[in-house]
């Protein structure tokens, strides 16, 4: 078969990108995938996954890395020069260039920088890169949208929102969730241990009598962990709080906000564990499995991998009605939806007080998520992007 050369433009530190590349290349050895890292101040987690990492001249790269330590905002501004220079130094053309996450720096990079290298530009929106853009910023996307051969979304609600805003591009749009490698690790742990939840709780010295409640999945203010801690501390009784153990996954995001979450949890006397450094995938899987309830009330979302992983592990998931998950409910998935964060304390009381009944309703979730996002089920479907 003829080899296909693909350039992915995105954060080379993203586990999702690594999962995509490793799975599609394992399935089709004729794909040659390079990466242009939009987070060049940090090295790729595993360069071996990619055929080649595109880099600018050493001087510009060193300036960018130094600036990132001193002024991250200026570093972000410099990134557009890094991207342009890297594209100019490719030395060849690509069958496909795939933009993962519509980085704001693309507003200031002429589309010709990409069309000079390929006839097939693909855009994958991740969520906030559409929902958190102003009207003016969305208009600056049009040269890319007009040029793109495919525009990809991980859930139908976001595609519908995009099509309602940008008219006439329906023929380019498709829904294709990204597979989740963590599901393989979850499967392996469940096959290896008859009571993996109990084992994982025991490793963290969590009493088996306590329900474990995971709050958010990263250290960003839009996850609202501090707000959630405060409202629960105000409206749950001391006995109700004592019956719970809280997990705060804070392995990436804003360092200052990370400290605020930990300080707030301590101030209010919660039983908790905060994960603040990068975890192995097996450890991420353990966190999903030891958790009983997952609270997911961020401002916007497309189709969070963490959200799906908690559903897969049969957590009772509490999320917001403002997030685009009606399509999951239509498939029969069970989760609780709130009108606002203010509704959380009462909903959590109901879930805790009726846990066994709530848990019984989650039986369907594992199969539904597997059908949408388990790589073993979707890798061939994902490969159609490059056909």
């Amino acid at each position: 078969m003829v080899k296909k050369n693909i350039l992915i433009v995105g954060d080379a530190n993203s586990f999702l990108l690594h999962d995509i590349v490793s799975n599609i290349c394992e399935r089709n050895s004729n794909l040659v995938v390079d990466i242009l890292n939009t987070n060049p101040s940090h090295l790729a987690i595993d360069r071996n996954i990619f055929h080649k990492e595109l880099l600018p001249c050493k001087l510009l790269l060193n300036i960018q890395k130094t600036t990132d330590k001193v002024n991250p905002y200026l570093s972000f501004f410099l990134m557009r020069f890094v991207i342009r220079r890297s594209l100019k130094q490719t030395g060849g053309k690509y069958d496909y260039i795939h933009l993962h996450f519509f980085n704001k720096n693309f507003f200031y990079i002429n589309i010709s920088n990409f069309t000079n290298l390929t006839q097939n530009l693909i855009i994958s929106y991740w969520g906030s890169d559409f929902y958190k853009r102003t009207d003016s910023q969305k208009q600056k996307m049009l040269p890319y949208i007009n040029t793109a051969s495919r525009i990809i979304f991980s859930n139908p609600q976001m595609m519908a929102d995009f099509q309602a805003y940008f008219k006439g591009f329906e023929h380019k749009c498709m829904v294709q969730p990204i597979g989740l490698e963590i599901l393989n690790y979850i499967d392996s742990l469940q096959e290896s241990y008859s009571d993996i939840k109990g084992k994982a709780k025991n490793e963290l010295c969590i009493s088996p009598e306590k329900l474990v409640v995971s709050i958010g999945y990263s250290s960003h203010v839009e996850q609202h962990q501090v707000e959630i801690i405060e409202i629960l501390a105000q409206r749950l009784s001391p006995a109700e709080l004592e019956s719970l153990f809280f997990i705060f996954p804070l392995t990436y995001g804003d360092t200052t906000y990370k400290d605020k979450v930990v300080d707030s949890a301590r101030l209010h006397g919660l039983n908790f564990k905060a994960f603040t450094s990068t975890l192995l995938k097996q450890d991420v899987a353990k966190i999903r499995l030891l958790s009983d309830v997952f609270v997911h009330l961020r401002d916007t979302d497309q189709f969070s991998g963490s959200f799906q992983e908690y559903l897969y592990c049969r957590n009772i998931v509490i999320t917001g009605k403002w997030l685009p998950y009606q399509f999951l409910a239509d498939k029969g998935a069970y989760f609780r939806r709130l009108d606002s964060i203010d509704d959380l304390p009462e909903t959590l009381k109901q879930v805790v007080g009726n846990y066994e009944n709530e848990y019984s309703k989650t039986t369907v979730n594992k199969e539904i998520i597997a059908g949408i996002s388990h790589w073993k089920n979707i890798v061939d479907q994902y490969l159609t992007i490059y056909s």
Side-chain angles (χ1 to χ4, degrees):
M1 293 179 66
V2 177
K3 289 190 177 295
K4 293 182 180 179
N5 296 306
I6 300 167
L7 173 64
I8 288 181
V9 183
D11 187 345
N13 300 278
S14 166
F15 282 115
L16 284 177
L17 283 187
H18 281 244
D19 291 348
I20 290 168
V21 175
S22 61
N23 278 277
I24 64 174
C25 289
E26 181 179 345
R27 186 67 167 174
N28 185 346
S29 60
N30 291 298
L31 299 182
V32 179
V33 181
D34 294 345
I35 181 78
L36 196 170
N37 189 3
T38 57
N39 190 7
S41 58
H42 300 280
L43 296 176
I45 297 170
D46 182 0
R47 287 180 171 177
N48 294 326
I49 290 177
F50 304 102
H51 172 255
K52 180 173 66 177
E53 182 179 4
L54 271 60
L55 296 169
C57 64
K58 288 185 178 179
L59 176 62
L60 183 56
L61 183 60
N62 289 331
I63 291 173
Q64 211 281 336
K65 288 181 177 180
T66 302
T67 306
D68 187 69
K69 295 176 183 177
V70 178
N71 188 330
Y73 294 101
L74 179 58
S75 173
F76 182 79
F77 170 80
L78 288 174
M79 191 192 301
R80 66 194 62 166
F81 298 99
V82 170
I83 293 172
R84 283 198 201 102
R85 181 70 182 226
S86 297
L87 289 170
K88 288 179 180 178
Q89 306 224 141
T90 58
K93 293 185 180 291
Y94 287 93
D95 296 296
Y96 300 90
I97 294 181
H98 193 159
L99 308 184
H100 272 277
F101 190 88
F102 203 103
N103 192 297
K104 284 191 286 189
N105 276 311
F106 296 154
F107 301 153
Y108 307 97
I109 298 175
N110 193 288
I111 188 65
S112 63
N113 287 272
F114 294 99
T115 55
N116 287 339
L117 298 176
T118 190
Q119 294 182 338
N120 292 295
L121 180 69
I122 301 168
I123 301 171
S124 281
Y125 281 96
W126 283 34
S128 60
D129 49 346
F130 173 72
Y131 287 116
K132 288 194 172 182
R133 300 298 185 245
T134 65
D135 286 341
S136 174
Q137 290 171 335
K138 287 177 180 175
Q139 292 306 307
K140 290 178 180 178
M141 296 175 182
L142 276 170
Y144 285 82
I145 294 170
N146 282 319
T147 302
S149 54
R150 288 188 176 175
I151 305 169
I152 301 170
F153 310 89
S154 65
N155 75 69
Q157 182 59 58
M158 187 182 178
M159 184 172 74
D161 293 340
F162 176 92
Q163 291 173 344
Y165 188 90
F166 291 111
K167 307 292 186 182
F169 297 102
E170 291 80 6
H171 62 292
K172 298 184 177 186
C173 295
M174 64 179 287
V175 174
Q176 179 55 65
I178 297 172
L180 300 171
E181 194 70 21
I182 295 295
L183 303 187
N184 290 329
Y185 287 83
I186 292 168
D187 291 344
S188 179
L189 286 167
Q190 289 180 322
E191 290 167 4
S192 300
Y193 302 97
S194 58
D195 182 21
I196 182 59
K197 183 184 286 286
K199 175 178 169 57
K201 286 185 177 182
N202 184 60
E203 288 177 357
L204 289 178
C205 300
I206 301 172
S207 167
E209 305 302 317
K210 294 185 185 294
L211 279 183
V212 176
V213 181
S214 295
I215 310 288
Y217 59 82
S218 67
S219 174
H220 291 101
V221 67
E222 63 265 26
Q223 299 270 353
H224 297 293
Q225 288 103 328
V226 171
E227 187 178 347
I228 288 169
I229 291 168
E230 291 175 351
I231 196 170
L232 292 180
Q234 291 167 6
R235 291 170 52 186
L236 296 186
S237 70
E240 288 168 333
L241 284 174
E242 184 59 31
S243 70
L244 304 174
F245 190 96
F246 293 91
I247 295 288
F248 297 101
L250 306 171
T251 57
Y252 64 95
D254 184 279
T255 302
T256 301
Y257 187 69
K258 184 184 304 183
D259 293 338
K260 288 181 180 179
V261 174
V262 173
D263 290 344
S264 181
R266 286 177 179 156
L267 176 66
H268 293 289
L270 301 186
N271 302 306
F272 79 97
K273 170 71 175 175
F275 293 93
T276 57
S277 56
T278 303
L279 297 169
L280 297 174
K281 289 183 179 180
Q282 180 162 316
D283 293 325
V284 173
K286 282 185 181 179
I287 292 172
R288 310 300 192 241
L289 285 162
L290 71 84
S291 183
D292 300 300
V293 179
F294 175 53
V295 178
H296 178 58
L297 297 172
R298 63 172 294 156
D299 293 335
T300 63
D301 201 23
Q302 181 175 194
F303 195 24
S304 156
S306 299
F307 172 81
Q308 296 177 68
E309 291 154 12
Y310 282 106
L311 282 170
Y312 190 77
C313 291
R314 297 188 59 190
N315 272 238
I316 291 110
V317 172
I318 302 172
T319 191
K321 288 183 180 177
W322 58 90
L323 296 175
Y325 293 140
Q326 180 58 45
F327 79 100
L328 267 183
D330 293 342
K331 288 179 178 289
Y334 179 74
F335 49 98
R336 301 288 294 261
R337 286 183 287 181
L338 310 182
D339 289 316
S340 71
I341 291 177
D342 194 57
D343 296 333
L344 177 60
E346 186 57 37
T347 300
L348 188 56
K349 288 180 186 180
Q350 293 170 10
V351 167
V352 172
N354 198 25
Y355 177 76
E356 292 302 326
N357 183 51
E358 289 282 328
Y359 180 72
S360 69
K361 296 177 183 178
T362 65
T363 306
V364 297
N365 290 346
K366 184 169 185 175
E367 184 177 351
I368 290 170
I369 296 300
I372 296 171
S373 296
H374 206 303
W375 273 114
K376 68 181 181 182
N377 296 325
I378 70 164
V379 65
D380 289 332
Q381 182 182 335
Y382 198 93
L383 284 168
T384 63
I385 293 171
Y386 305 118
S387 62

